[in-house]
Structures are given as C-alpha cells and as structure tokens.
Amino acid sequence: MLKKLLKYDWKSVSLLLLILHGILLVYTLIGRLGIAFGLSGAGDTMVSSVTTMYGIVYVLFIFAIVVATYVYLAIRFQKNLFSDEGYLTHTLPVSPTKLIWSKMLVAWAWIAIDLVCVIVSVFLLVLFKETSGSIGDLFHEFIAIFTGGYGTQNQIFMIILLLSMIAQLFGFYTTLALFSMCLGSLFKTHKILGAIVTFFGINTIFSLISTILMFVVPAWSPVTYETNGLTGSQQNELFLCYLALYLVCSVIFFLGSRYILSKKLNLE
C-alpha cells in the first residue's frame, strides 16, 4: 500500500514542480548565452549592465524556486491530509505511519531534485573555458578536504558539517513541516495560519535553545571564539551537538505527527 501512496503523492505534486524547475533551467540557458556574448567582447558596457541585473534576478529566482518547492509540498500535503480530500485519505486501509513516510519520501525526493537542479544550473551558468581552471581548482580543494588532504581534523569537521546540513534539510525541516501541519489541524479555526505560526514558533524556540547552549558551554561561547578561536575538536563537538539536536527533534516531530494522526485527528 505504501507504493500506491508514494505513486499518488508523487503524481499529485510533480507536474507543477517539474514546470518550475524546467523554467529555472531555461532561464539558466538564456543567462549562459548572455554571458557567452559578454565574454566575446561585444557591447561591453551594455552587456555588463544587463549581466549584473541578470545575476541579481538569478539569485532571487534560485531562492524563490527553493522556497516555492517547500511551500508547495507543504500546501499539497496539508490538503491531502486535513482538507476535504483528507476524508478520503483517512478512509484508506493504511496506517498513519505509512501516510507520514509517503509524504516524507516524496518530499525528500523533490528536495534532492531541487538541489541537483540548482547545482546543475549554477554550473551551466558559470562553467566556461575561461573559468574552468578556477572551478576545477575549487573542486579539487573540496575533494582534498574530504579525503584528508588538509588534515584529519578538517576532514572530520567537513563530514560532520555535511551530515548536520543533511539532517537539518531532510530531517528537521521536513518533519517540522509535517508536525506543524498536524498541530495546525487541532486549531478550531484558521488551521493553515496555526500551522504557519507553529512552524516558525518551533523554529524560533530551537534557535533560542541552540544559542543558549552555545553560551552555557564555555568552550563553544562566542566570547571564547572571539578571544581564542575554536579549536578543531571544539568545532567538531559543536556541530556534533547540532547534528544530535536535529536528529532528536526529527524523531520527536515524527512521533508527534503520528500520534496526532492516530489519536487526535481533526478534519472539521
């Protein structure tokens, strides 16, 4: 049954998202042609101005695409679980756990596609014969850090940092969005507003806890960082703590969502 849910959820969100990311790639190709024209030396002043404007719009467009992907997934899943469509969804012979996993797996897939599209877009935009050397050097330097070329301490730090970012993006924010929708459904009125307030409220509380934690532990304090700087081991400890917090919160949000869908479901 989970496969059928995944198929339905995938179809329900993919058309619009495919169109959005297709527009991103087309916009990137247009920018690449403009940059290539500028590199050829034709119309230097005008092309420089247009390229600058394009760059600003491009960055805003990338940001908009990433945010739109998250928002659209949240809206679509909220409708599927808690709107009139939810009456049909919750009559299916499937457990709340499978409903949550279906939503999360589709969200993870589209977040990954979103990241790949953004990376491909950036490379298409900036990778020219004139820039290939610098980009190649940055790539080799990046690989060298992960393979220990800059020391074991830096290697461990980059691995922990990457894992922390993955846990934040795929775990914390995805489960928080689902949990916020579930909590919002408990509101008698303004359920969507309740979900939005819950999302930003919990995120703010988490940020406060993280900040307090940094000041409570002397080795991680900004005061220590400003005076002595953080050692490699202290950096690793700090981001390991963040990684643990993201994972713990993700589990709590998942279990909270399952509890609400199982025991406190409210479709009124």
Side-chain angles (χ1 to χ4, degrees):
M1 192 64 186
L2 180 58
K3 289 183 180 180
K4 292 182 178 179
L5 281 173
L6 282 169
K7 185 178 180 181
Y8 174 78
D9 285 334
W10 178 260
K11 286 184 176 180
S12 69
V13 303
S14 293
L15 179 59
L16 180 60
L17 292 178
L18 282 171
I19 293 172
L20 282 175
H21 289 81
I23 293 172
L24 170 63
L25 293 179
V26 171
Y27 186 68
T28 302
L29 291 175
I30 294 172
R32 181 177 176 84
L33 291 174
I35 293 173
F37 181 70
L39 290 174
S40 69
D44 290 341
T45 303
M46 183 180 71
V47 171
S48 177
S49 300
V50 173
T51 302
T52 301
M53 288 299 299
Y54 176 88
I56 295 171
V57 175
Y58 176 77
V59 172
L60 293 175
F61 192 53
I62 288 284
F63 179 76
I65 287 289
V66 173
V67 173
T69 299
Y70 269 97
V71 171
Y72 179 70
L73 287 169
I75 290 173
R76 190 66 197 85
F77 293 156
Q78 195 277 337
K79 288 183 177 180
N80 180 253
L81 289 173
F82 301 112
S83 68
D84 292 341
E85 188 179 336
Y87 287 98
L88 176 60
T89 300
H90 294 290
T91 58
L92 298 173
V94 60
S95 66
T97 301
K98 288 184 178 179
L99 284 174
I100 295 172
W101 273 116
S102 177
K103 304 294 183 284
M104 286 180 59
L105 289 171
V106 171
W108 288 347
W110 266 110
I111 291 170
I113 292 171
D114 192 51
L115 290 174
V116 170
C117 285
V118 169
I119 292 170
V120 170
S121 172
V122 171
F123 270 95
L124 282 175
L125 192 65
V126 303
L127 188 57
F128 291 90
K129 182 179 179 180
E130 294 83 354
T131 61
S132 59
S134 298
I135 294 174
D137 291 341
L138 287 174
F139 180 76
H140 286 119
E141 194 168 327
F142 184 74
I143 295 298
I145 294 175
F146 274 97
T147 56
Y150 286 88
T152 305
Q153 200 71 255
N154 287 325
Q155 180 187 25
I156 293 173
F157 172 72
M158 287 302 296
I159 292 173
I160 294 173
L161 179 62
L162 180 62
L163 290 175
S164 179
M165 292 171 64
I166 292 173
Q168 181 185 29
L169 190 62
F170 289 87
F172 180 82
Y173 281 118
T174 304
T175 54
L176 174 57
L178 282 168
F179 183 55
S180 298
M181 286 186 279
C182 290
L183 283 178
S185 71
L186 301 179
F187 285 59
K188 291 184 178 181
T189 59
H190 305 296
K191 297 179 184 294
I192 295 178
L193 178 61
I196 295 172
V197 171
T198 300
F199 179 88
F200 286 104
I202 294 176
N203 196 40
T204 300
I205 292 171
F206 179 86
S207 298
L208 287 173
I209 292 173
S210 302
T211 303
I212 292 171
L213 184 63
M214 288 181 64
F215 279 96
V216 168
V217 180
W220 302 342
S221 171
V223 176
T224 302
Y225 178 78
E226 288 294 331
T227 54
N228 302 320
L230 291 179
T231 65
S233 60
Q234 288 171 338
Q235 284 183 327
N236 293 343
E237 290 171 3
L238 177 60
F239 282 93
L240 270 175
C241 183
Y242 276 120
L243 174 60
L245 282 173
Y246 289 137
L247 293 176
V248 169
C249 287
S250 298
V251 172
I252 292 172
F253 297 152
F254 180 92
L255 295 176
S257 300
R258 187 178 68 175
Y259 174 77
I260 292 173
L261 290 176
S262 302
K263 306 294 185 182
K264 300 291 183 179
L265 183 63
N266 178 21
L267 299 178
E268 295 181 0

